[in-house]
Amino acid sequence: KLYPMGYAACPLDHRLAEINVLHSIDAIKHNPTVIKATKERGLTVHGVIYDIRTGQLRLLEEKKEIAPTVHR
C-alpha cells in the first residue's frame, strides 16, 4: 500500500524506525551534558515515531527490547 508522497511501508520499516529511535535515545542519554541536566534539572528524554498514515506521534516505550547491533 502506498501512503502520501509515495511512501510504502511494511512492518520491517516500522521496526527499523523504532530501533533507530531507541538507539538514538540511548546515545543521547550517554551525552555528558544530558547526564548533567538529568541529574540537576530532572531532564527526561523521550522517543517518538511519526505515523505518516495518521499524522500522529507514537511514544516509544523506553524498555522496549533493541535488536543486537551487528558489526561487519
Side-chain angles (χ1 to χ4, degrees), residues 4-49:
M5 300 185 307
Y7 175 74
C10 71
L12 181 58
D13 293 335
H14 293 278
R15 184 63 183 137
L16 290 174
E18 289 177 355
I19 291 169
N20 183 40
V21 170
L22 293 170
H23 277 285
S24 296
I25 291 169
D26 187 57
I28 289 168
K29 285 184 172 183
H30 285 88
N31 177 288
T33 303
V34 173
I35 292 169
K36 182 178 178 184
T38 300
K39 289 177 183 174
E40 293 178 359
R41 299 188 308 253
L43 174 75
T44 57
V45 178
H46 304 277
V48 295
I49 296 284

Side-chain angles (χ1 to χ4, degrees), residues 54-66:
T54 65
Q56 295 182 343
L57 294 174
R58 181 170 49 94
L59 183 63
L60 295 181
E61 298 175 28
E62 286 188 53
K63 299 296 181 188
K64 196 164 196 174
E65 184 179 319
I66 302 174

